[in-house]
Amino acid sequence: MTPIRLRPFAPRDATALTDFLHRAYAELGAEGLNFTAVDQTEATTLHRASAGLCLLAEDKGGLIGTATIALPPSATMRRMFPAADRPDMAWLGQLGVDPHRRGEGVASALWAEGLAWAVGQGATSIGVDTAIPATNLRSIYRRWGFIPAGEVHWEGKTYDSAVLLRSLP
C-alpha cells in the first residue's frame, strides 16, 4: 500500500478537488442523494474549502481523499441548527474518499488531522450533518464518537440530514 500524505488545500487545487468530489460522491448521487459535492462548481469548491482547514489526502497516484473542518460552522448551519451557533463549535464537511481506496484508513487519517487542528484552534465540540439515508456515513461518524442531535433540511436537497455532535478534549 502506498503511503498517504496529508496536506492543506491550496486554491490551485480547486479543479482537481472538484473533479475528485464528483467521483467520490457519484455513488450517493446515483442513489438519488443530491449532495452538493455530486455536481458542485469549482467556485463552490473554493468557497467551501476556504471555510477553515481543507485537507487533501494524496498518494503517488494523486488525490484519494478530502475533508474540511470549518470553524465556526457556516452561517446557514448556525441559523438552521442553533446549537451550532457557538464560537467554539467546529463543523466537519465534504469528507470524501476515492471509492477504490475505502477501508484503507484514509478517512480516519483525515479525521485525526482535522480533529487535532480543531482542538488546536480552541474548538470544544464538532458537528457534522449528512443525509439520513447515507447509513454508511452515519456509521463512520458514530464510530468517531458523534451522537445524534437533530435533523435539518437543506433547501433543494432530496433528503433530510441527520445532525451529529461530538465533544472535544
Side-chain angles (χ1 to χ4, degrees), residues 13-93:
D13 299 316
T15 300
L17 180 55
T18 301
D19 292 343
F20 171 79
L21 287 165
H22 294 171
R23 288 191 312 276
Y25 279 76
E27 292 172 52
L28 293 165
E31 293 173 15
L33 301 174
N34 64 335
F35 279 78
T36 300
V38 168
D39 59 2
Q40 73 188 36
T41 65
E42 205 169 300
T44 299
T45 299
L46 279 166
H47 174 75
R48 295 178 103 193
S50 300
L53 175 67
C54 177
L55 290 167
L56 304 180
E58 300 175 315
D59 69 5
K60 288 182 183 177
L63 189 57
I64 60 169
T66 188
T68 299
I69 308 289
L71 184 64
S74 72
T76 304
M77 177 50 77
R78 293 191 317 264
R79 279 192 305 277
M80 291 172 53
F81 193 74
D85 192 17
R86 296 187 357 235
D88 60 346
M89 171 73 76
W91 210 263
L92 172 62

Side-chain angles (χ1 to χ4, degrees), residues 2 6 9 11-12 19 21 37 49 52 60 79 84 89 92 99 113 121 123 146 151 157:
T2 309
L6 300 181
F9 170 86
R12 69 180 179 279
D19 292 343
L21 287 165
K60 288 182 183 177
R79 279 192 305 277
M89 171 73 76
L92 172 62
E113 186 78 13
Q121 298 297 308
F146 286 88
E151 295 178 8
K157 297 303 170 196

Side-chain angles (χ1 to χ4, degrees), residues 61-161:
L63 189 57
I64 60 169
T66 188
T68 299
I69 308 289
L71 184 64
S74 72
T76 304
M77 177 50 77
R78 293 191 317 264
R79 279 192 305 277
M80 291 172 53
F81 193 74
D85 192 17
R86 296 187 357 235
D88 60 346
M89 171 73 76
W91 210 263
L92 172 62
Q94 284 200 152
L95 175 67
V97 174
D98 182 295
H100 302 291
R101 299 298 300 269
R102 292 181 184 151
E104 296 180 18
V106 176
S108 294
L110 289 160
W111 165 240
E113 186 78 13
L115 177 65
W117 178 84
V119 170
Q121 298 297 308
T124 61
S125 58
I126 188 166
V128 65
D129 64 285
T130 194
I132 290 172
T135 55
N136 291 1
L137 292 173
R138 290 193 356 251
S139 292
I140 290 167
Y141 299 139
R142 279 194 303 274
R143 282 195 307 273
W144 291 348
F146 286 88
I147 57 170
E151 295 178 8
V152 295
H153 185 88
W154 291 92
E155 184 178 339
K157 297 303 170 196
T158 58
Y159 53 84
D160 290 331
S161 289

